[in-house]
Amino acid sequence: MTENTSTGPWYRQPWLLFLMIFPGAAIIWCTIAITVALNTDNAMVTDDYSKEGRGINMEIARDEAAKDLGLRASMAFEDREISLSVDTSDGSADFPYLILNLFHPTIAERDRTIQFRAVGEGQYVADLNQPIEGRWYFDLRGPDNDWRLKGESNLPSERRLTLGAGAEDRG
């Protein structure tokens, strides 16, 4: 029972194509992944870890300074205006201006810095160029950058956000 069946050359066998699909797909996928990795800037990665570590210690000192002053702040977002009231353990805060840094969780290009102007004793307002929507981290700093109140919230918020030294708002 010997049959003389002619088989084609090895490169025309159907199993060859089936077996070559997986390595070929892996090569294509790796090429795409490497191209994306090389052409995309990753703003969440830092090169100087020791410098960032020293900065973290300075931030902890600013948080402690806010706690020592007994700072509490309350923010309200209304369209393109933010109103802010700040109190200390000695009464209303009296700063010429305050700085609010808004940090987007993933996109550094969307970060914003907003300067509040004093309109009364412990009362501040700021205007926004464009509305703010989505999840944001924020920190409020004094004019001398010697204290900091921080928090996190989804904006715009219907309620007033309360920031206190040592306790973050998570709204």
Side-chain angles (χ1 to χ4, degrees):
M1 289 228 237
T2 60
E3 294 182 25
N4 286 337
T5 58
S6 70
T7 59
W10 63 270
Y11 54 86
R12 290 196 183 186
Q13 298 298 317
W15 284 105
L16 177 68
L17 290 175
F18 177 73
L19 294 174
M20 295 300 288
I21 286 175
F22 298 108
I27 291 170
I28 292 170
W29 177 252
C30 286
T31 303
I32 292 170
I34 290 171
T35 303
V36 169
L38 292 176
N39 293 329
T40 305
D41 181 34
N42 189 351
M44 296 173 63
V45 176
T46 182
D47 290 334
D48 193 357
Y49 296 104
S50 63
K51 186 176 183 181
E52 191 166 317
R54 289 189 303 268
I56 289 171
N57 291 336
M58 290 174 54
E59 295 299 325
I60 292 171
R62 287 184 182 105
D63 292 342
E64 291 297 321
K67 195 180 295 185
D68 293 342
L69 291 172
L71 286 171
R72 298 213 34 93
S74 176
M75 275 191 294
F77 291 82
E78 301 164 12
D79 294 327
R80 291 188 179 200
E81 182 178 282
I82 306 174
S83 61
L84 174 70
S85 61
V86 180
D87 295 320
T88 67
S89 57
D90 298 332
S92 295
D94 186 28
F95 300 105
Y97 65 91
L98 296 175
I99 303 293
L100 177 68
N101 294 310
L102 292 170
F103 301 106
H104 192 272
T106 57
I107 306 170
E109 290 82 28
R110 294 185 64 190
D111 293 352
R112 297 182 190 179
T113 300
I114 299 167
Q115 183 172 346
F116 285 93
R117 64 186 180 281
V119 293
E121 192 171 316
Q123 302 297 317
Y124 301 87
V125 295
D127 297 319
L128 299 171
N129 294 336
Q130 52 188 317
I132 298 175
E133 295 180 354
R135 182 172 168 218
W136 293 88
Y137 299 111
F138 42 86
D139 71 17
L140 181 67
R141 297 174 185 251
D144 297 329
N145 198 20
D146 55 351
W147 56 265
R148 169 180 87 155
L149 296 176
K150 61 182 180 174
E152 169 185 356
S153 184
N154 287 320
L155 300 177
S157 178
E158 297 295 323
R159 63 181 178 86
R160 291 188 71 86
L161 302 176
T162 304
L163 301 170
E168 299 178 11
D169 183 284
R170 295 203 178 262

